[in-house]
Every structure is written in C-alpha cells, then in structure tokens.
Amino acid sequence: MTPDLPTAPGATEIAPALPLVQHDPWLAPYEPVLRRRQQRLQQRLSEITAQCGSLTKFAQAHQRLGLNYDARRRGYWFREWAPAAEALFLVGDFNGWDRQATPLTRGPEGVWEVFLADKDYQDRLTHHSLYKVHVVTRKGGKDRLPATLRRAVQHPETKDFAAQVWKPETPFPWTDQKFRVPNFVREPLIYEAHVGMALEADRVGSYLEFAEQILPRIQAAGYNCLQLMAVMEHPYYGSFGYHVANFFAVSSRFGTPEELKHLINEAHNRGIAVLLDVVHSHAVKNEAEGLADFDGSGGQYFHEGARGNHPGWDSKLFDYGKPEVQQFLLSNLRYWLEEFHFDGFRFDGITSMLYHHHGEGVSFGSYDQYFGPEVDEDAILYLQLAATLVRECKRSALLIAEDMSGMPGLCRPISEGGIGFDFRLAMGIPDYWIKLLKHTRDEDWNLHDLWYTLTNRRLGEKTVAYAESHDQALVGDKTLAHWLLDKAIYEHMHKDDADPITARGIALHKLIRLATLSLGGEAYLNFIGNEFGHPEWVDFPREGNNWSHHFARRQWSLANNPDLKYQYLLNFDRAMIGLAKSSRVLAGGPAHELNIDSHNQVLIFERGNLLFVFSFHVDRSVPDYRFYVPQPGRYRILLNSDDADFGGFQRIDTALTYETFEEDGVNKLSLYVTSRTALVLARV
C-alpha cells in the first residue's frame, strides 16, 4: 500500500470536478460559476447562522411580524417592516377605524411595533375582528393589508379586502401523523386541481366540498399527489391564483384555514400527498391588497424602477438579494409546510426568476445562456436557500420547478453543484402535442420526432411529464380532447354513435397520454377533468363573459353517464395510472427504442420490465407484426387501448400468451398490431 505523499512546496492540489460536471462534461468551462454559487450559498448560510442560529430560525419572520398573540405577556404584538415609512397606525373595528388611535413605534431595522394588552383589548380584538395598517409615507397615508396577515376577507358589497383575526378556540385536530410521503409516493402521479372550479355547479367550490366530493375521485383514479392551485390569497379570481397579494393567507373564497387543513388531512388519510402551487416569482401590483410600494420607497420587497415590473405579467418582481425579502419568502415556505402540513411545492415561474430577461422571447440553445450576465444570481441563491430550508423542515418534501429554459443542475442536489429541486416540468411536451394536432395530418406524424421530443431531457434530472396542464386548458387555447374532437365533443359522444371523428379522437387521446407517461419523465401530471376528456376550456368569471361561472367548473356528470363515451377515457386513465403504479414504470430508467417503423407508423420500446407497442397508423392493421425483443420468453398483454371498456373495437384477444421465437439470429415476438392502438406487455 502506497503511503500518502505530502504535496510538494508550491504545488496546487486540484479538487475533483463537481459531480454535476462529471455527469455532464460540457459543463466543465462553467464549473467556476457553479462553485461560486455553492460558495455564495455557504457564505449566506454562515451569515444567517451567526445572526439567527440556524436557517429554520431565520425562516420564522411570520412568528414575529404581523399580528401574533403573546401568551406570556397576555396580549397581541403587531409588527410591520416598513423602513421608509414615516409613521404606522393599526386600525380596525377594535378601535372604530380611528387612524390615529393606535400608533406604532419604530424599532431597529425599520420594524414598527405596538403591544395590545388583553386588559384593554380582549373584548374588542377577538376572533373575526377586522383590521388594517395605516402607512404614512412621503407620498401621503394609505390603509394597507399587513404583509404577513394570515387571513384576508372581502366585503361582499364594496369588494374591499381587510385582514381578519383568526384565533379559533381549539387547534385543528390533525389525524395524519402516520402519513409519510415515501410510503405512499414512490413516483409522483400528480392531479393538478383548482378548488374553486372543482364543482359542477355554477359557483365557487369550497375546501370542504373538494374534500368530500373530489378527493374520492382522485383516490379512485389512482393519483398519489394532489397539486393545489390558487390557495394563496389573490384579489382577482380570474388570475387563476397567480397574482398573489397575501402570501401567508389561505384564500377565503374557498373557506377557512381550518377547512383547508381538513382537506389536507383527509387527503393524507387517503394516501395522497398535497403540493402547494407556490408563487414566489412575482406578486400582484395592487397597492390596496398587496405589497407594492408598501413603505413609499418604490421598492422594499421589489426591485425599484423598471426592474421591479414584469414586462409580460403586469406584476411586481421580488428583490431576491435583499435579506428581508429572503426571510419573508423563506418564512412563507416554512409556514405552509408546518401550519398546513403541505408535502412540498410546485414553484411557479422559475424561468422568470432565473433570468433578467425572464425568458421573454428567448430561445435557449447555448450553455452560455445559463451562466452569463443574463442570469439572476440572487434568484439562484434564493432558490438554493429555499431547497435547503424545505429539506430541513420536511426531508421527504417534493420540490417541482416550472422551468422551460433547461437550466443545468436545477434538479440536482446542491452538494453536486445543483440548485436542489427534485423535478422539472416537461413544458415542451404539451406544446409538441398541440402543435402536432394543429398543423400536421395524422398520416404525416414523424415518429422519430415524437420519440426525440418525449425522451429529450437532461439525464440525471427528473422530469414531470404531462400532455396538458391548466395552461393548455385556459381560454384562448383548447384541451387535447377539444383539439381532437372539435364539435364532435358535443354532438357525437353517445356510446352508440359510430362517428369516425369521435373514434379517431378517443383513440389518439389514449395514445397521447400513454406515450407521454411512458416516455416523458419520472413523474406524471394530469389537470382536473382532463382524464375523461373534459369538453371545454377554463374561463373564469370576468367582464368579457358577463361574470359567468359556466366555464369555471368541471362537468363530472359527463364521466358518470353510462350512455356517453367520456367513461371510456376515464376507464383508460385509471388503468394506465394503475399500471404505472403497480409496475413502477416511471422508476424504470430511460426507455430503450426497439423499433420505429415509419411505413406502418409503429413505435416499440422497452421501459422497466414492460414492452410498449404503439400503432399510430390511421387505418392499417398488421396481423403478423414481428419485432425484436431483448428478453426471450412468454409475454402477455397488461393494457390494450383497443379494449371495449376503453371505447375500442376489441380487435385483440388479451387472454392470449405470446412466446418469442428466433429469427435472423434474434428473439422476436409476433403480434396483431391494430391501427391507432397501444399495447403494454410484460414477460410472464
């Protein structure tokens, strides 16, 4: 054994390359940038530890700022960070909305405070009391909503929002202590949903109604993750929840904080993890309801000037380099994890955060774009802090990034040179399907392009595949079912109607979803109702539609009706999700191409221990289709999209067992491959 030799005087010890660079040698020129990011994170963590003791203690601003009850001193503290303000006053029904009655005192670092003792306020400042903070700046005085308020309610007539004291007599009785994400979510099968539009009625749904009526559907469908949109309070319902005003407030449109807890508790008891669609990429520009120009400085939480405004979203952009903003957003994550038992986050708008150009009109084709001057390094630092904090608060939590740029390392551990997320959304896949359906005849589909698009992702970084999400369902676009079926979705969906357009649409709907799930990633996502081919888009009440809820709902009765064909798509989705869970196909590593036959429009591949056979041909069925398989043996069909239960023509006998044979020196199978059909086989 050779002893370790001392380094020669003057010699430089070369550190091994980061694991991220070892995995992708094309990153070697950018390793200094990756290391600087790591070093900057460690420096910031050291500063935070020196200041607060730990990152988790740093992320508890919500326990100090805003209205918090002090049991030891028996009263409420109210604190607000507003460094540029000239004066602050707490106003509400407890003091007759007198803007001069309850002044705050300015403390260190621009934090204002006042103590409201029980002996003076216990009968006036109670559960359901309304309040605001009056902020006086050099521009004048305005009533504002506190930055860390826990509940905001809207007056039914004036539409004005006010903060509301929320202090129930007893805490919520959680019964989900045995729920652990790894025990129920081996690979995420995500059901994306919006509570308000989840009912069939022409009105806003509630957390309780979702728990009672929709959770059983999600469980029956086999999904193991629920991704909730629009939970954080937003003044305009039609923003779909993406113009957030109150980051710590549960949207009161759908019910109370306790009712949201009931929903999450019930989901956990059904074995379903719950993810929050968190919006830290921007904030609503409204001053009356939100944080914009809170202290009159023109910045504070956001960048000053033009940099503080998103050019495409008409909203405000956070200054991620400011310690107080980091603390505000990190505390927000800790709050949702601990107070409501969320199991992780889908971070919205990551691309906008990562780059100064926000991805607007930019085509990403060079590694230089991920490491050059257009990258917002403050945002990367914040995202690394966020990933670190979430892991410390809940080790099993899931982190999903909505990024269309392909930032290398986004979904790799920070220790390897990454940013720390678990999954990225495969945003190119739904765009591909819509473009294909809009511009290319079925006969002209290029299976090589299809294979490339569905398998083209960074190795070692997990992806959530989806054929459509809320983006494709929103007004201005159409769902896949609508693109496939057009007006036939209204006129020819009776089960006895032999309309060929409907037959084609139903067949392709099944093939598109199965191809996306089996090829596109390591997790899968479906938007509420799309599993049964929901016939219409999503359009929230607005002036342009006469404030109608007609398109902001889900028509479950269509899937329930035994006389309609929607049931077939639902049956197939359940079978597909069930197979994905039982076979763990998403954990099977990348798919291996076995055959792409452009003449017969047949695509065959292997993933995990399963064989997938797709025929996209419009009318050709091949009785004795022979193809290579890696493993000899006997095979049986586990899933057949042409099954009668799925609206197919039952052209294949799924009871048969197929045995390999040797031909041309290789193992082959022979199948009856029918047009517009997908088969999944396993070796017996």
Side-chain angles (χ1 to χ4, degrees):
M1 184 175 178
T2 305
D4 292 335
L5 298 175
T7 304
T12 302
E13 191 170 337
I14 300 175
L18 289 168
L20 185 63
V21 177
Q22 294 177 26
H23 187 74
D24 181 1
W26 290 98
L27 288 172
Y30 310 99
E31 184 167 6
V33 180
L34 295 170
R35 290 194 179 276
R36 281 198 298 272
R37 290 174 181 174
Q38 283 184 327
Q39 292 163 2
R40 190 179 183 205
L41 172 65
Q42 291 307 314
Q43 180 182 347
R44 184 69 187 116
L45 288 172
S46 297
E47 294 168 355
I48 288 171
T49 301
Q51 175 189 353
C52 300
S54 69
L55 181 62
T56 51
K57 290 180 180 178
F58 178 71
Q60 57 185 12
H62 57 293
Q63 297 175 14
R64 179 170 180 263
L65 299 175
L67 189 68
N68 289 287
Y69 190 76
D70 187 334
R72 184 178 61 83
R73 290 195 57 180
R74 303 178 70 83
Y76 280 101
W77 281 102
F78 179 80
R79 298 184 179 94
E80 194 74 60
W81 176 59
E86 296 179 354
L88 267 71
F89 301 86
L90 193 64
V91 298
D93 49 20
F94 70 93
N95 64 5
W97 296 96
D98 183 344
R99 292 187 176 89
Q100 303 298 318
T102 313
L104 277 67
T105 302
R106 181 188 171 99
E109 300 174 344
V111 175
W112 302 72
E113 66 180 21
V114 64
F115 182 71
L116 308 171
D118 282 351
K119 64 183 179 65
D120 299 318
Y121 293 95
Q122 65 180 352
D123 296 326
R124 290 186 283 160
L125 194 61
T126 59
H127 187 46
H128 291 148
S129 291
L130 301 179
Y131 66 99
K132 293 188 179 186
V133 58
H134 185 71
V135 182
V136 179
T137 73
R138 57 185 175 81
K139 303 173 185 177
K142 286 186 178 181
D143 291 346
R144 304 296 300 262
L145 297 186
T148 59
L149 66 87
R150 310 299 174 83
R151 180 167 168 81
V153 292
Q154 188 175 29
H155 193 281
E157 296 175 3
T158 66
K159 306 302 180 185
D160 181 50
F161 279 89
Q164 186 179 60
V165 176
W166 195 255
K167 193 173 182 289
E169 291 184 5
T170 57
F172 178 80
W174 291 98
T175 61
D176 66 346
Q177 290 80 6
K178 294 183 179 180
F179 180 82
R180 296 290 184 274
V181 173
N183 295 340
F184 294 93
V185 184
R186 293 188 294 182
E187 293 82 42
L189 297 162
I190 304 167
Y191 197 87
E192 182 185 34
H194 185 289
V195 168
M197 58 165 283
L199 301 182
E200 187 150 359
D202 283 353
R203 60 177 176 84
V204 177
S206 71
Y207 299 121
L208 292 181
E209 289 169 320
F210 192 97
E212 294 163 6
Q213 299 179 36
I214 311 304
L215 281 180
R217 290 182 178 274
I218 299 171
Q219 183 182 24
Y223 291 89
N224 55 28
C225 286
L226 168 63
Q227 182 175 297
L228 284 180
M229 310 171 63
V231 170
M232 303 162 79
E233 190 62 89
H234 47 291
Y236 179 46
Y237 190 42
S239 76
F240 226 53
Y242 289 116
H243 277 198
V244 174
N246 315 115
F247 286 78
F248 291 82
V250 172
S251 181
S252 60
R253 283 186 183 86
F254 316 130
T256 69
E258 269 56 44
E259 288 166 348
L260 174 61
K261 291 177 182 179
H262 170 78
L263 189 165
I264 297 171
N265 190 65
E266 180 67 15
H268 286 166
N269 289 330
R270 291 179 178 273
I272 301 170
V274 188
L275 309 178
L276 175 66
D277 195 344
V278 72
V279 185
H280 283 181
S281 49
H282 64 134
V284 74
K285 69 176 184 179
N286 303 28
E287 293 188 8
E289 296 91 1
L291 300 172
D293 200 25
F294 192 90
D295 68 351
S297 65
Q300 194 181 355
Y301 289 96
F302 311 106
H303 290 289
E304 294 186 13
R307 190 180 173 190
N309 300 313
H310 195 290
W313 296 348
D314 194 28
S315 53
K316 301 299 294 181
L317 296 171
F318 286 106
D319 183 350
Y320 301 108
K322 190 175 290 185
E324 294 86 353
V325 175
Q326 293 173 359
Q327 187 173 34
F328 176 81
L329 295 175
L330 292 171
S331 301
N332 191 231
L333 296 177
R334 180 178 177 182
Y335 170 73
W336 290 111
L337 288 172
E338 295 183 346
E339 183 70 21
F340 292 93
H341 293 201
F342 276 101
D343 301 298
F345 303 99
R346 179 260 194 194
F347 271 69
D348 178 70
I350 288 281
T351 306
S352 176
M353 299 173 69
L354 289 173
Y355 308 97
H356 297 303
H357 53 61
H358 312 299
E360 297 270 297
V362 175
S363 177
F364 291 88
S366 166
Y367 272 28
D368 290 343
Q369 293 170 285
Y370 304 124
F371 303 99
E374 288 301 320
V375 176
D376 189 336
E377 294 293 338
D378 289 343
I380 287 180
L381 173 62
Y382 166 67
L383 292 172
Q384 289 178 318
L385 287 167
T388 304
L389 173 74
V390 169
R391 293 283 173 265
E392 291 184 6
C393 291
K394 182 174 282 192
R395 184 173 298 276
S396 63
L398 299 172
L399 290 175
I400 300 172
E402 187 202 31
D403 171 45
M404 50 75 64
S405 75
M407 168 67 76
L410 178 60
C411 301
R412 294 302 301 171
I414 294 168
S415 60
E416 296 183 4
I419 295 177
F421 279 72
D422 298 305
F423 296 87
R424 72 169 84 238
L425 292 170
M427 300 180 72
I429 293 178
D431 292 344
Y432 167 79
W433 287 124
I434 296 296
K435 182 179 178 181
L436 193 67
L437 294 176
K438 287 173 70 172
H439 301 296
T440 308
R441 297 188 316 154
D442 298 2
E443 294 87 343
D444 299 329
W445 284 16
N446 187 317
L447 297 190
H448 292 279
D449 287 349
L450 187 154
W451 172 268
Y452 175 79
T453 302
L454 269 61
T455 60
N456 180 31
R457 55 186 180 274
R458 291 189 61 81
L459 289 176
E461 299 198 35
K462 294 180 181 179
T463 297
V464 179
Y466 59 106
E468 54 186 335
S469 68
H470 68 271
D471 286 324
Q472 287 70 42
L474 284 170
V475 69
D477 205 334
K478 296 193 294 188
T479 63
L480 280 178
H482 214 161
W483 280 114
L484 287 163
L485 296 162
D486 199 47
K487 65 180 181 180
I489 207 166
Y490 304 110
E491 300 173 356
H492 296 288
M493 291 299 283
H494 192 278
K495 68 175 185 178
D496 297 328
D497 191 327
D499 175 60
I501 294 176
T502 308
R504 174 250 183 191
I506 288 178
L508 288 180
H509 194 274
K510 293 178 289 187
L511 267 60
I512 286 171
R513 289 175 175 276
L514 181 59
T516 299
L517 181 146
S518 56
L519 285 176
E522 292 71 36
Y524 178 75
L525 177 142
N526 168 73
F527 179 65
I528 181 172
N530 287 353
E531 68 274 14
F532 66 85
H534 200 280
E536 291 169 336
W537 53 83
V538 178
D539 187 13
F540 276 77
R542 55 186 173 85
E543 189 174 3
N545 65 16
N546 201 26
W547 303 104
S548 170
H549 284 85
H550 181 74
F551 293 107
R553 63 193 181 108
R554 297 287 87 175
Q555 299 180 61
W556 305 107
S557 60
L558 297 175
N560 296 342
N561 192 329
D563 295 326
L564 298 180
K565 297 178 181 178
Y566 296 100
Q567 62 179 308
Y568 299 141
L569 296 179
L570 179 59
N571 291 344
F572 181 78
D573 195 80
R574 288 181 174 179
M576 178 182 75
I577 295 298
L579 179 62
K581 290 176 74 173
S582 63
S583 68
R584 299 199 63 187
V585 65
L586 295 175
H592 301 289
E593 175 194 328
L594 300 180
N595 185 30
I596 295 182
D597 176 357
S598 299
H599 176 69
N600 291 301
Q601 287 293 81
V602 171
L603 169 64
I604 303 174
F605 57 88
E606 181 186 43
R607 188 173 186 194
N609 295 317
L610 300 181
L611 283 177
F612 294 83
V613 180
F614 285 83
S615 170
F616 289 94
H617 204 284
V618 298
D619 56 20
R620 180 180 298 151
S621 299
V622 184
D624 180 22
Y625 193 89
R626 302 183 174 205
F627 59 94
Y628 160 75
V629 291
Q631 296 290 328
R634 300 168 68 225
Y635 288 78
R636 62 184 178 90
I637 296 173
L638 301 182
L639 184 64
N640 170 20
S641 71
D642 198 47
D643 193 293
D645 287 343
F646 309 145
F649 298 99
Q650 200 71 49
R651 292 169 288 178
I652 301 169
D653 186 351
T654 55
L656 294 177
T657 300
Y658 301 87
E659 192 159 358
T660 59
F661 56 91
E662 189 171 317
E663 184 177 85
D664 301 326
V666 297
N667 300 306
K668 288 190 176 182
L669 270 183
S670 173
L671 296 178
Y672 180 26
V673 175
T674 56
S675 59
R676 287 183 176 143
T677 300
L679 301 174
V680 184
L681 299 93
R683 197 155 63 99
V684 179

